[in-house]
Amino acid sequence: MKVAYWPGCVSRGFTAELHGSMAAVAPMLDIELVELDRANCCGAGVIAEHSQELADTLNARTFALAQQEITQGADLMMNICSTCQGAQSECQQRLDASAEYRAQVNETLADEGLEYQDGIINKNFLWVLVEEIGLDKLKTLVKQPLTDLRVGPFYGCYIVRPTDRLDINRAQPRDEYLGQVIETLGGTVIDYAGSHKCCGFPIITMNKEASLEQAGRHLADATDAEADCLVTPCPLCHLNLDLQQPMAAKQVGRDLNMPVLHLPQLVGLALGISPKELGLQHHIVKPTSVIDWSQAVVGGVSGW
Amino acid sequence: MAEFKLKIRRYDPESGAAPYWDEHTVDLEPHRSVLEGILQARNEKDGSIGVRCSCRAAICGSCGVRVNGKPGLACHTHLDDALASAGEDGVIEVEPMGNMPIIKDLIVDMDAVHWKKIQRVTPWLIGKEPVPEREYIVSRESMIDVTQSMACIQCGACVSDCLSMEVDPLFVGPAALAKTYRFVGDPRDAAHEQRLKDLGEDKHGIYDCTHCFKCIEACPKGVAPMNQIMRLRRIAGNDFHIKDRNNGERHEMAFVNNIEKNGILHEADLLPDSYGGKFHPRAVPELIASLPIVVTALLRRKMTPGKALLHPHKAPDGVKRIFEVVEGREERTEFNLYISGTDADNAPNPEVAEAIEAAEPAGVAPDGSEGSSA
């Protein structure tokens, strides 16, 4: 399949390994990425709290650029960031609700020759994996099942709430997809308190203690549940859970040493891509347990 | 009638014993409520089960509990729906709400948390002077707008699930902040700026919310407290230029300016700018505190000095144009779905339209008055 691909900002900035691992995994899943390199930041909810129309217009611009690719054969728009998914879905809900409001937004876009037509399909890589590629197909592609790897899912608020806007329901349990993917890849899903909670990142500059307390607690809960690592579809969660983990450990007063993987990295490991190619060496918390696991598997195969 | 298994979380702090699960089977029609299930268990099995309720019609807000981990009103949750969201064992779990101390079993101390916070925000109208001779006149739109926060029945479901309050019990919280919007959004209130300033100067005020959407999901009345908090921030920052103690407004403007300049987020600037700029006295200790992480990140090549210091990405002209047009408007446009509804909601119901059409030839409108088909 071909997708109009919005990588987001952080995946090309502080978590460049996310963008890199997506690029490594895509061809193996038969996804052609057409990158929206002229598109702009989704606003992460912060621009919307300054001005809704500004956020709506910026995202309408990204949607319009994606729709140009869709008319040229892309199947849908894909993002790799829970926050992009949530912030863009929120704007889309307003844009799709009213032709009058859409016309006002499109008038601003007209200067650049762009127009957003309602009803774009924009899915996070997680949703694409389950709904477009399918778990059955994914299973056939697994070369190195994640046997004995204990993985805790960490979704990020924006991709699980509010359920009505994100079309999460019993028929489409998008808030259970990470667990389904981990299982399909052969790993063990760890059940712990923080999987659907907030990483705290949005208030890191506003109330640092509360922000790090949230990250620290979830990491500690996952540690107590004996997870080897966490996996997240959200690079902003990754910033608080991995980049800030040494500070979060200080905040909660205990040693934390929990590797946090980006979703394409976990998929990549199971598809047989090397940890180095997936950029695991760039993480702040060394994913030692994951590397040990992958070497044990490779060693086990080549040694016997 | 059908049998349902209820697992009730029991706890009596005065007993000194640990909380435990208590399972009862109740026999009720599937469309009856979880509350009726609890009451049947109490009346027929164990009179010591502690539960608070009154109206049984989702209006008094007394019976807030968690059903299968999700907060809501016990009287407003059907047994069959609760069963559908139960675990594989088919047992409906009923627990007391979170973030509040337990008095007994399902009864939590609303006074200690919820009501204290509501009182914190001056929950009454401070009328504009001079008081008009007759009524205050307000627009229909602004009235509909505040009805959303007025719909709150003080059940505490949002407080129960607030993730910021979970780590910061001093956070004013979703219910009280929705209540604040009820007055800040009311054109008759005279104290908009003071209310917002008060909450901006409180480190646990409007900028302590993480946008986790939990309160929106929890509310049984569609109040969407988080949306009201975001509107308080918009008004505080844009209309009153309030500099808050959390650097919330600074962070918001740092973010907005960052995107206007770069098109996509340049994170290396965002942190210092949120504290007032790289050389600002507030920023310096923050930057020093983050040095060990910066060094590790550089060593792991997570970021390179070039990427952090240079601005390789420039905002396309189209993005600059959007900022120019939208930020240049005299009045902020805020498309509010609660007031406007969607085009689909507002479209005439085809059945009604047909009925009107069918009635028209006779010259009589559906309300029985003389039709005016001309």
Side-chain angles (χ1 to χ4, degrees):
Chain A
M1 68 184 299
K2 189 166 152 183
V3 297
Y5 170 50
W6 168 239
C9 309
V10 178
S11 70
R12 289 175 287 177
F14 280 6
T15 65
E17 68 277 0
L18 167 58
H19 186 37
S21 58
M22 187 64 236
V25 164
M28 306 186 78
L29 296 168
D30 207 12
I31 302 177
E32 188 188 335
L33 304 174
V34 185
E35 196 174 321
L36 299 169
D37 49 10
R38 283 166 58 215
N40 45 263
C41 172
C42 72
V46 182
I47 292 187
E49 82 185 46
H50 169 71
S51 157
Q52 261 185 5
E53 191 195 356
L54 188 58
D56 292 347
T57 313
L58 285 168
N59 281 314
R61 180 176 178 275
T62 300
F63 295 154
L65 289 167
Q67 281 176 334
Q68 287 184 343
E69 298 303 335
I70 290 169
T71 47
Q72 285 171 35
D75 295 287
L76 45 84
M77 172 175 160
M78 183 178 95
N79 65 75
I80 49 170
C81 171
S82 294
T83 304
C84 290
Q85 180 71 60
Q88 289 174 335
S89 295
E90 183 178 335
C91 294
Q92 189 185 348
Q93 189 183 33
R94 285 192 288 269
L95 290 165
D96 286 1
S98 159
E100 195 187 330
Y101 181 56
R102 204 158 54 242
Q104 179 183 328
V105 168
N106 275 330
E107 204 187 306
T108 312
L109 296 184
D111 292 343
E112 208 185 349
L114 291 172
E115 186 189 353
Y116 168 61
Q117 282 164 353
D118 60 320
I120 191 170
I121 297 174
N122 172 28
K123 291 187 179 185
N124 183 276
F125 174 53
L126 175 63
W127 298 357
V128 169
L129 267 181
V130 178
E131 293 165 12
E132 304 293 326
I133 293 167
L135 295 174
D136 293 339
K137 170 87 187 294
L138 180 63
K139 195 164 195 168
T140 63
L141 298 171
V142 172
K143 292 202 182 106
Q144 195 172 298
L146 305 177
T147 318
D148 298 332
L149 190 68
R150 298 169 57 84
V151 188
F154 195 94
Y155 286 84
C157 304
Y158 274 94
I159 205 172
V160 287
R161 285 180 294 272
T163 47
D164 55 350
R165 182 190 295 150
L166 297 172
D167 285 326
I168 298 174
N169 46 54
R170 270 170 217 148
Q172 192 166 264
R174 289 174 160 173
D175 52 351
E176 294 170 17
Y177 282 1
L178 267 182
Q180 294 177 1
V181 169
I182 296 166
E183 246 166 42
T184 304
L185 301 176
T188 306
V189 185
I190 296 301
D191 187 15
Y192 70 107
S195 61
H196 292 69
K197 289 189 178 178
C198 177
C199 70
F201 184 71
I203 55 167
I204 188 76
T205 62
M206 304 184 217
N207 186 342
K208 197 159 139 193
E209 294 76 28
S211 171
L212 293 173
E213 183 79 29
Q214 300 198 40
R217 263 193 209 187
H218 308 327
L219 291 161
D221 281 343
T223 307
D224 293 341
E226 296 177 342
D228 291 323
C229 63
L230 297 185
V231 64
T232 181
C234 183
L236 302 188
C237 293
H238 198 269
L239 290 181
N240 234 30
L241 297 173
D242 177 67
L243 185 75
Q244 301 276 12
Q245 195 175 125
M247 309 259 265
K250 265 189 210 156
Q251 175 68 33
V252 295
R254 64 181 274 186
D255 282 340
L256 299 169
N257 203 6
M258 180 57 62
V260 185
L261 270 60
H262 300 286
L263 177 60
Q265 290 179 323
L266 190 79
V267 175
L269 284 173
L271 299 186
I273 306 176
S274 78
K276 195 166 178 191
E277 205 181 325
L278 294 166
L280 284 165
Q281 70 278 16
H282 297 310
H283 292 195
I284 294 297
V285 179
K286 280 194 175 171
T288 317
S289 55
V290 180
I291 309 268
D292 285 353
W293 166 85
S294 72
Q295 281 169 352
V297 174
V298 175
V301 173
S302 57
W304 294 95
Chain B
M1 302 287 257
E3 288 199 340
F4 293 92
K5 278 188 192 141
L6 290 183
K7 200 161 88 174
I8 301 172
R9 184 99 167 149
R10 306 290 305 271
Y11 178 49
D12 180 1
E14 284 174 16
S15 75
Y20 61 98
W21 289 105
D22 185 16
E23 203 171 304
H24 294 286
T25 303
V26 295
D27 198 12
L28 281 164
E29 298 280 354
H31 68 272
R32 306 307 283 265
S33 69
V34 170
L35 177 64
E36 285 172 280
I38 300 167
L39 293 177
Q40 190 181 85
R42 188 183 71 179
N43 295 344
E44 295 174 9
K45 312 271 171 56
D46 181 350
S48 73
I49 297 174
V51 60
R52 182 162 44 203
C53 65
S54 178
C55 76
R56 307 187 194 188
I59 199 63
C60 76
S62 303
C63 66
V65 291
R66 277 179 169 157
V67 178
N68 299 323
K70 297 211 163 134
L73 299 170
C75 73
H76 195 49
T77 311
H78 295 289
L79 282 162
D80 50 358
D81 289 337
L83 180 62
S85 69
E88 280 169 10
D89 57 359
V91 179
I92 300 167
E93 280 183 11
V94 188
E95 293 170 273
M97 291 194 290
N99 283 336
M100 287 176 271
I102 294 169
I103 295 174
K104 186 172 186 294
D105 301 336
L106 303 175
I107 305 171
V108 296
D109 191 346
M110 302 274 289
D111 286 335
V113 181
H114 174 72
W115 289 111
K116 211 173 247 180
K117 290 177 189 295
I118 293 285
Q119 283 156 13
R120 154 83 185 76
V121 299
T122 322
W124 57 84
L125 190 97
I126 299 171
K128 272 190 182 151
E129 303 280 350
V131 180
E133 250 172 63
R134 298 181 65 184
E135 61 276 272
Y136 288 100
I137 308 290
V138 296
S139 72
R140 183 180 164 275
E141 275 210 347
S142 59
M143 213 56 235
I144 297 180
D145 180 20
V146 290
T147 57
Q148 188 173 17
S149 38
M150 281 163 77
C152 174
I153 56 169
Q154 313 292 343
C155 67
C158 58
V159 172
S160 159
D161 257 30
C162 175
L163 293 178
S164 273
M165 214 184 276
E166 203 173 276
V167 292
D168 179 9
L170 294 175
F171 177 39
V172 175
L177 291 175
K179 178 58 88 186
T180 307
Y181 185 76
R182 187 255 165 273
F183 299 108
V184 169
D186 191 324
R188 297 169 298 177
D189 189 86
H192 297 169
E193 188 173 2
Q194 290 93 314
R195 289 176 189 276
L196 291 167
K197 213 163 178 187
D198 170 41
L199 287 167
E201 276 164 12
D202 186 338
K203 192 152 192 277
H204 312 278
I206 46 175
Y207 289 98
D208 205 13
C209 159
T210 65
H211 334 155
C212 75
F213 302 93
K214 272 274 188 180
C215 55
I216 296 185
E217 202 62 24
C219 180
K221 291 288 172 182
V223 172
M226 188 194 112
N227 291 353
Q228 315 307 338
I229 298 172
M230 295 308 129
R231 300 168 80 193
L232 292 174
R233 289 185 183 181
R234 269 200 289 282
I235 299 168
N238 288 317
D239 299 347
F240 297 115
H241 311 286
I242 293 169
K243 303 282 175 222
D244 57 284
R245 287 225 5 229
N246 302 66
N247 295 311
E249 191 265 354
R250 250 179 230 104
H251 173 69
E252 178 191 306
M253 286 321 296
F255 198 108
V256 170
N257 295 334
N258 195 310
I259 306 308
E260 184 174 12
K261 185 171 153 198
N262 304 305
I264 62 173
L265 186 68
H266 188 75
E267 307 105 317
D269 284 347
L270 184 65
L271 181 73
D273 288 351
S274 296
Y275 292 109
K278 283 189 188 69
F279 305 106
H280 196 283
R282 259 191 310 266
V284 174
E286 292 300 331
L287 293 178
I288 291 173
S290 55
L291 262 183
I293 289 182
V294 173
V295 171
T296 317
L298 289 171
L299 286 174
R300 302 266 161 85
R301 299 191 61 76
K302 188 173 187 56
M303 45 180 142
T304 59
K307 223 163 86 178
L309 298 172
L310 303 174
H311 295 73
H313 201 281
K314 295 269 178 289
D317 289 342
V319 170
K320 289 196 173 128
R321 178 82 191 128
I322 291 173
F323 275 85
E324 215 176 276
V325 173
V326 179
E327 293 286 83
R329 288 199 203 287
E330 280 186 12
E331 244 181 85
R332 211 164 53 245
T333 313
E334 196 170 310
F335 179 70
N336 186 335
L337 273 168
Y338 184 80
I339 301 175
S340 313
T342 65
D343 285 350
D345 296 335
N346 298 328
N349 182 333
E351 280 175 28
V352 174
E354 243 170 62
I356 292 172
E357 207 165 290
E360 273 183 353
V364 179
D367 61 358
S369 61
E370 287 285 312
S372 54
S373 50

